[in-house]
Amino acid sequence: MDEFMEAAIQEAKQGREEGGIPIGSVLVKDGKILGRGHNKRVQDGDPVTHAEIDCLRNAGRVGSYRGTTLYSTLMPCYLCAGAVVQFGIKKVIVGESQTFPGAKEFMVSHGVEVIDLNLDDCEQMMSEFIETNPELWNEDIGN
């Protein structure tokens, strides 16, 4: 596993330790992390503070997103996929999509390369969270 996915997993673990949903993300350009974040919907009481959105906010204004890669421990939902498409991020590397299929087809249809690593660590972290927090998870995905 590369250092950037490991950083995203650390963000997810931090979110879980804070009592939130264990999803993490990092934005990378030229081998450097520009921003990192984790899902803070519970912590901030903000329905749109998903991991990818938190990561982009923390990266700040980067000018052009050309050449950036977004890492996420879970396949991005339509909200986060919309941000990827809006900002022209052309590559997304995902930890897993078994627990949530997300919006892969939407991103691909807009020219985004999506790589699903199907990592056991990411899938296990989400499966355990979903099993112990089904109401919170259903709220997060809009069910």
Side-chain angles (χ1 to χ4, degrees), residues 41 44-45 61 85-86 103 107 109 112 119 126 136 141:
R41 293 181 66 256
D44 293 353
R61 294 181 60 211
V85 170
Q86 177 68 33
M107 289 185 287
S109 74
V112 178
L119 297 173
M126 283 308 302
L136 186 55
I141 60 173

Side-chain angles (χ1 to χ4, degrees), residues 2 7 10 32 36 44 113 122:
D2 74 26
Q10 290 307 313
K32 295 180 182 173
R36 56 181 70 224
D44 293 353
E113 177 185 7
C122 293

Side-chain angles (χ1 to χ4, degrees), residues 23 39 41 47-53 70 72 74-85 92 94 100-104 106-107 137 140-142:
I23 305 168
N39 187 303
R41 293 181 66 256
V48 296
T49 308
H50 290 203
E52 298 86 350
I53 301 301
L70 184 71
S72 182
L74 185 65
M75 185 65 72
C77 67
Y78 281 94
L79 170 70
C80 299
V84 166
V85 170
V92 175
V94 178
F100 180 70
K104 178 180 180 177
F106 173 78
M107 289 185 287
W137 174 243
D140 192 59
I141 60 173

Side-chain angles (χ1 to χ4, degrees), residues 122-137:
C122 293
E123 191 276 329
Q124 182 178 358
M125 184 168 38
M126 283 308 302
S127 290
E128 289 172 0
F129 176 81
I130 292 166
E131 184 176 321
T132 58
N133 301 279
E135 289 180 18
L136 186 55
W137 174 243

Side-chain angles (χ1 to χ4, degrees), residues 7-84:
I9 290 170
Q10 290 307 313
E11 284 291 326
K13 289 178 179 178
Q14 181 179 341
R16 181 182 61 201
E17 290 169 10
E18 294 171 357
I21 299 164
I23 305 168
S25 183
V26 297
L27 182 68
V28 176
K29 185 173 185 176
D30 298 328
K32 295 180 182 173
I33 294 176
L34 300 179
R36 56 181 70 224
H38 53 275
N39 187 303
K40 292 182 181 171
R41 293 181 66 256
V42 173
Q43 299 92 312
D44 293 353
D46 181 348
V48 296
T49 308
H50 290 203
E52 298 86 350
I53 301 301
D54 187 47
C55 173
L56 292 170
R57 282 180 177 153
N58 291 332
R61 294 181 60 211
V62 301
S64 172
Y65 290 85
R66 188 173 296 127
T68 61
T69 300
L70 184 71
Y71 286 75
S72 182
T73 58
L74 185 65
M75 185 65 72
C77 67
Y78 281 94
L79 170 70
C80 299
V84 166

